[in-house]
Each structure stands twice: as structure tokens, then as C-alpha cells.
Amino acid sequence: MAGTLLMGAVAYDPKVVTIWDGFRDWFAAQGLAFDYVLYSNYERQVEALLAGHVHVAWNSPLAWVRAARMGPVTAVAMRDTDCDLTSVVVVRAGSGIESVADLTGLTVAVGAVDSPQATLIPLSYLRSLGVDDVKVQVHDIGVGKHGDHVGGERDAARALVSGAADAACMIDGNHLLFGVEGTMPAGSTRILAQTPPYDHCNFTVVAGAPADLVEQFRALLLGMSYDDPQVRPLLDLEGLKAWRDGRTSGYAQLERAVDEVGFYDAGGNVTAEDYRP
Amino acid sequence: MPVGQAVEVRGRAPELAVHLRAWCRAQGHRFDWPYVVRGSAAGAHRRGARAAGGRHAVAAHAPGHWGVAARGALVEAGGPDFPFALDDKDEVWTAAAAGIYRQAVASQWDPATAVDWDEPFELPAEVEAAVVQVMTYLIENENAALVVPARFLGQIHPHFREVVAVLAVQVADEARHVEVFTRRAELKGIPLGLSTAGGQASLLTLIEEPDFALAHFLLSVLGEGTFLSLLSFLERFAPDPVTRRVTHLALADEARHVAFGMAHMEAVLATDPTLHARLATAVRRRHDALASTAGLNAEVFDALVVLAAGAFTPAAIAEGFARVQALEADMDEGRRRRLAKLGFDPDEAAELAELHTRNFM
Ligand SMILES: [Fe+2]
Ligand SMILES: [Fe+2]
């Protein structure tokens, strides 16, 4: 496969095949030989990246954190929609819970155990506000897929509405979505807390990847225009309007969360208990 | 509002800032609370989009990427190509389509109420059997007349929607004809008649014709044209009120199908100078293909005689025979008249009228 840039992606949804087949064709038309390999979970993907099986991986933020602990890697590009996300902690409107301190001893519904946005980051944020004695109710859907599947967050929201939990954690965009789709009826819930902004996925390149191909890949991505009718369907599918240069300044909250719960150790070994991707 | 311009957002909803941040991210705007800075992605779907013709402008050619969009809609660039084989106006269009469609929609009838199925009558056994045999024959012809337009419906670009609409109603008409002829056939509980190999072979050549203009000519000008004579005959000599009513109802629909076929042919003949010769060839080819078959089956011919006789007596049968001979002359005359109207000279019209399938449709 000399001269071909190989990328790993996690098959969290059947549309992943449509997306990367589309990118593969488009890259080929631009003169870049590009192919992709699908993994069923991010842990396998990161291990394959560091072993050199692929040159670049489309990584979740948690996969980035692990890859960066395992070896020298760089983040070359990310979506505009990966920048400056926040998560919110939501309670029922009439619950009487007025501050995060009131959550002490109560049940907080979260997403999958490995979800940065619906579990790791918001729970870490609550701890930073002095709330570390809560009953965590995990809604595991797609373990190993680092919360890419929206189902865990939706189940957490349902648990809140039904009274099975006192609070629920979710990304800001899903809070908007769950209101629109009726999972959380308008006026039934209230936002108790919002985390500072953090970043999401990036293209992670392993040391030793062919630099010319990686640069061609990065330049083509950044040149994709939403005004181009050939490119627009691909960007719509992957959920972005423009690719941006990779930045690694938005992962500090997640790094802290990983350390607090011992999800990975300093060398990137999986140390979380009850985590079976 | 230009890209890069900021607008301040104010509101009372407690979630406003949270939701606005998520919304801006999804839309490609920059979030700078309480401002939204317009990004360049908004409106991208309209840039490069082109109108699929105009409200009153039927295009000469409907491109595949117009797809199933409404005529006049703004079609975003980069969409899929639809493989509509009949995408040139010259192949499908007639200005008469809109009027014929309006007339067709206004003339729809309900088999449940348009026919008094309970009206009492009793026919001699031989005459009832003749009616059932004729109905059996009509039903297979109606099935073929349903399948032919249905096959082309899915190939015509939806841009030519009036033409699609006429054919869609025509298919529904034929479904009703199948229904009412079936109900008449089954009315007295005797078994249905014979469907012959020759009759079906004739109808198969009709269904297999791949060219829209040729198929429409064979079906609607020659076949349904011939059926106008047949249905008038059946209405006139019907031995019972139900047969009279159902053939009357079908006749009105068929007259519209023939009118549409004639209008389509006149339009296509005006733009395609080779079509005259191809139509004539299609009639001759179909005749040759059917030369070895029996043509109209003897059961149908005899049934028409007995039906028109109204009684199973020598004198009545003689009268029925004369009526069927007059019917065949009337059919031939009708075909010649329609061919002449389409510009065939009298000799060729007579030759082609003669070569038309002996199975009538
Ligand atoms: Fe009919
Ligand atoms: Fe018809």
C-alpha cells in the first residue's frame, strides 16, 4: 500500500461507511490515494494507530487523550463543530434543586461510562465545584464508542424526566435536540450548571506517518468548501461546515477527568474498572 | 446581512445562551454571547441552485438532476441523477394533456354507485354464457391496457407532470374497467370463459413494445380506437341492463384514452419526420409476429353473435351474425379514419387498418 494514506475510523453507525467511501472517492479525484479501516471501538483503533497499522485515526477526544499518553502523536485537523462545546447538568423544573451543592447524595444520570461529554467531563466539573458524593447512574449504549452514540444521553434524559434520576448530564447540542424532539418536554427541566468550553474529535497522526501524504490530506481537508456542491453532502453527513487546523488546547478538562477516575494511567493503559469495550 | 456581521441576541429563556451556542455550531455561525457572527455556510444550499423550468415553462429537456423536484423549484446543485428515460419534451408532450387530465378527473365514477348491480334480470342460459365469455375477453384486454401506460409512467420525467397525470388516471380507469367487467362476469355465478393463447400472444406484443410512441399508437389509436366500436356495439345490443351500463361507462373513458393517444401522436408526428414510417413498420411487424396465431378466438366471435342475437333461435342468431359483421366493418372504418387524421394517405391507412390485430386490441 505504498503511497496510500490509511485512516482508522470507529463504526459507531452504518453511515460511517457512506461517509468514508464518499471521502475516499473525493480524495481520489483530488489525487490523494486514501483508504480507511473501520474498528468497532476506539481502544482497538488507538492501539492500531500506535502500532502503525494506520497512519491517522479519526479520534474521539478520549481516544486522543489515550493516544497522546501512549506515544508521540499530533492532531492535524478537526471539525469547526469540534470546537468549544459545553455540557450541562439538568434537573426537573419543580425539583427544588437550586444549586449543585443540593445534588449531594442524589442520583445523577450520565451517558456511557466512556462518554467524555455526558459522563467524564460533567462529573469532573461537579467535583471541581465540591460535589463528589452523588450516585452515578450510567446509561451504557455503545461502550467503547466513547459516547458517539446518542442513545446513552437520551436514556439519561428520559431517566430524569421519569423521576428515576434527580439530574442528568448531556452535551449542549443534545439538550437542544431533546427539547425539540420532545424527550424533555418544554418547561419540564432546568439547567443547573454548564461546563466551560472543551474540544471534541480530531485527526490524530502517529509519528512515522508519511509526512507528504499527511500534509496533502490536511491541505485537502482545509480546502473543502461548503459552497462546493460535490463536497457539501460529505460535510453534511460528517456534521461540519469547515475543517480547521487541529488544536490540543481544548482537552484539559478531559485529561483531568481521566486522571480523577483513573480511566487510563499515565502510559495510556486502560485502568478503568468495569470498562469492557 | 453580510458574512462576519454580528447581531445581538436578547431573550428571556434561561437556556438561551446554551441553545444559541449549540445552534451556532450546527449552522456554522460564530457564537460570541450575546452576539452571533454570521458564518459563510448559511445559504450555501441556494448558491449554484437552478430553477427546474418555470411555472409556465415546460423545458425541452428535463435533466436527470431535476429529479422529482416540482416544476419551477430551485434545485440545489450536487443532488443525485434520476434515470428517467423519457426526458425530452418532443417524446412525451402534448399541449392537450392538461385539458384531458381535467376532464378525466371530473369524469371519475364509482363502480359501487354508478351501476345498479341489484337490478333484476334473467337471460337465456346461452346468452348469459355469451356475456360471460365476452366479459372474460374484455378483462384480459383491460389488464393489458392497464399495464402498457403503467410501464411508461415510471419512465416519464415528472417535469412533464400533465402527461404523467393523464396516464396515471388512465391506469386507474382501466383498473375500474377490470373491476366492473369482472363483477358482471361473476354476477350470475357461472364460471368464466376461455382465455386463448392467440389473444394473449397479441396482447403480449403490445406490452413488450419498448418505444413509448409506438406503444401508445398501437394501444390507444388502433387498439382502444377499435374498442370504441366494440363497446358501443356492446352497449347498443346488451341483453341486460348491467352489461349496458358497464360498457357505457367504459366507453366514455376509452374515448378519452383515444383522444389522448391521438393528441400525443399528432404532437410527436409534427416533430419527428421519421415517425410515420416507424408507425407503419410497427403495425406490419406486429401483424407478422401474430400471423401464425389464430387471431380473435372463435368463442369470442360466437359469443358476440349470441350476445347481439339476444336469444338462441336461428332467426336471432342470423341477426346477431349480421350485427357482428357490421361491427367489424365499423372497426375498420374507424381505424382508417384515425390513421388518415394522423396524415397517412388513404391507401396506406386502409392497408394498416386491415393489418391491425384480429384480436381487436
Ligand atoms: Fe379500458
Ligand atoms: Fe383504455
Side-chain angles (χ1 to χ4, degrees):
Chain A
M1 294 303 279
T4 297
L5 186 75
L6 271 182
M7 185 202 76
V10 166
Y12 68 93
D13 185 283
K15 77 175 180 184
V16 170
V17 173
T18 311
I19 293 171
W20 294 112
D21 270 351
F23 273 92
R24 187 178 187 271
D25 291 348
W26 186 80
F27 281 132
Q30 314 303 313
L32 172 65
F34 168 92
D35 207 349
Y36 66 95
V37 180
L38 293 183
Y39 296 91
S40 74
N41 67 82
Y42 280 107
E43 307 314 329
R44 179 90 52 211
Q45 172 165 297
V46 170
E47 289 156 17
L49 175 69
L50 272 297
H53 299 166
V54 292
H55 305 128
V56 56
W58 182 223
N59 264 346
S60 74
L62 187 59
W64 159 259
V65 165
R66 186 179 178 206
R69 292 179 181 205
M70 288 175 72
V73 290
T74 52
V76 293
M78 61 206 305
R79 301 171 297 191
D80 54 355
T81 48
D82 286 315
C83 300
D84 301 320
L85 293 76
T86 65
S87 291
V88 289
V89 181
V90 187
V91 295
R92 279 187 305 284
S95 63
I97 300 170
E98 298 301 333
S99 72
V100 289
D102 296 341
L103 290 175
T104 298
L106 298 183
T107 300
V108 177
V110 298
V113 64
D114 55 352
S115 170
Q117 62 270 12
T119 305
L120 295 166
I121 289 174
L123 288 179
S124 171
Y125 181 61
L126 288 178
R127 279 190 293 271
S128 75
L129 299 174
V131 183
D132 47 13
D133 180 22
V134 296
K135 295 189 200 86
V136 175
Q137 182 188 83
V138 176
H139 292 270
D140 267 335
I141 290 191
V143 173
K145 296 182 171 60
H146 292 187
D148 282 357
H149 196 294
V150 71
E153 273 169 85
R154 188 178 278 122
D155 284 353
R158 285 183 180 137
L160 171 67
V161 170
S162 73
D166 301 298
C169 302
M170 64 200 68
I171 200 164
D172 50 15
N174 280 340
H175 186 271
L176 180 58
L177 170 70
F178 296 158
V180 170
E181 71 183 18
T183 300
M184 294 189 304
S188 67
T189 62
R190 182 161 44 82
I191 293 175
L192 186 66
Q194 181 181 21
T195 70
Y198 56 84
D199 286 352
H200 215 255
C201 303
N202 71 54
F203 285 113
T204 310
V205 173
V206 68
D212 50 343
L213 293 180
V214 170
E215 175 49 28
Q216 194 184 355
F217 172 70
R218 192 195 66 85
L220 283 172
L221 286 175
L222 266 56
M224 290 179 99
S225 167
Y226 197 71
D227 276 347
D228 181 343
Q230 308 306 320
V231 161
R232 194 157 61 232
L234 295 174
L235 300 186
D236 280 341
L237 267 174
E238 185 50 38
L240 71 154
K241 297 290 188 282
W243 294 103
R244 293 192 181 166
D245 275 316
R247 71 176 187 192
T248 56
S249 57
Y251 299 115
Q253 290 185 71
L254 184 57
E255 291 277 6
R256 191 165 57 241
V258 164
D259 287 336
E260 285 168 3
V261 299
F263 202 91
Y264 301 129
D265 67 15
N269 298 298
V270 178
T271 45
E273 291 168 20
D274 299 327
Y275 175 50
R276 302 277 177 277
Chain B
M1 185 176 159
V3 171
Q5 186 169 324
V7 61
E8 184 178 354
V9 178
R10 295 181 192 164
R12 287 196 303 268
E15 304 93 349
L16 182 59
V18 172
H19 287 172
L20 194 62
R21 170 191 287 274
W23 180 83
C24 284
R25 198 186 306 126
Q27 301 298 319
H29 301 307
R30 194 155 62 78
F31 172 79
D32 187 13
W33 180 254
Y35 297 96
V36 171
V37 182
R38 185 186 170 90
S40 63
H45 294 262
R46 286 174 175 268
R47 284 195 280 278
R50 296 275 179 274
R55 247 184 94 197
H56 300 292
V58 177
H61 174 76
H65 74 265
W66 285 1
V68 292
R71 192 155 76 214
L74 198 59
V75 181
E76 185 185 348
D81 267 323
F82 286 62
F84 291 112
L86 295 167
D87 53 3
D88 283 323
K89 184 180 178 185
D90 281 354
E91 298 174 291
V92 300
W93 188 254
T94 159
I100 291 174
Y101 172 67
R102 275 195 298 277
Q103 196 187 31
V105 170
S107 312
Q108 296 297 293
W109 43 272
D110 178 357
T113 54
V115 182
D116 182 0
W117 299 102
D118 299 324
E119 194 167 347
F121 68 85
E122 211 57 57
L123 297 179
E126 296 87 351
V127 178
E128 175 65 20
V131 169
V132 170
Q133 176 60 61
V134 169
M135 292 296 149
T136 304
Y137 161 82
L138 289 176
I139 292 162
E140 67 189 39
N141 282 271
E142 298 295 347
N143 279 333
L146 185 156
V147 171
V148 172
R151 283 187 66 226
F152 290 104
L153 255 182
Q155 299 180 40
I156 299 174
H157 198 298
H159 181 73
F160 306 108
R161 63 179 163 81
E162 291 86 348
V163 171
V164 172
V166 171
L167 291 179
V169 180
Q170 187 165 325
V171 168
D173 290 342
E174 306 300 6
R176 278 200 322 266
H177 300 171
V178 171
E179 178 193 342
V180 295
F181 294 152
T182 301
R183 284 178 77 168
R184 173 60 190 92
E186 295 173 344
L187 198 58
K188 298 294 178 182
I190 71 168
L192 265 69
L194 183 70
S195 168
T196 62
Q200 297 234 32
S202 177
L203 294 174
L204 183 60
T205 60
L206 196 56
I207 287 175
E208 284 184 332
E209 173 54 57
D211 183 287
F212 179 46
L214 298 186
H216 203 187
F217 173 70
L218 294 174
L219 173 73
S220 291
V221 175
L222 293 178
E224 290 177 316
T226 300
F227 259 55
L228 294 184
S229 298
L230 177 62
L231 291 166
S232 314
F233 169 92
L234 292 171
E235 180 187 5
R236 182 169 169 206
F237 299 114
D240 64 85
V242 174
T243 300
R244 188 175 310 121
R245 183 68 182 151
V246 295
T247 51
H248 170 80
L249 290 165
L251 175 59
D253 291 340
E254 292 307 335
R256 212 169 44 241
H257 303 172
V258 174
F260 181 59
M262 290 292 288
H264 177 214
M265 284 308 115
E266 283 168 1
V268 187
L269 282 164
T271 61
D272 181 356
T274 71
L275 186 58
H276 255 110
R278 288 197 292 126
L279 295 178
T281 304
V283 175
R284 295 193 182 100
R285 198 173 55 220
R286 188 167 180 223
H287 176 265
D288 294 346
L290 296 172
S292 62
T293 65
L296 184 67
N297 73 61
E299 275 79 3
V300 174
F301 185 88
D302 293 349
L304 287 171
V305 170
V306 173
L307 182 150
F312 206 62
T313 65
I317 297 288
E319 178 68 20
F321 185 80
R323 287 169 174 170
V324 172
Q325 286 202 307
L327 165 65
E328 294 199 305
D330 182 56
M331 288 172 161
D332 192 58
E333 160 61 23
R335 283 194 293 266
R336 266 187 285 164
R337 203 175 55 241
R338 280 179 209 102
L339 289 167
K341 188 152 183 265
L342 292 181
F344 288 92
D345 68 51
D347 289 346
E348 195 170 30
E351 182 215 338
L352 297 177
E354 173 79 11
L355 290 179
H356 180 64
T357 175
R358 288 164 290 169
N359 187 54
F360 301 161
M361 180 60 84

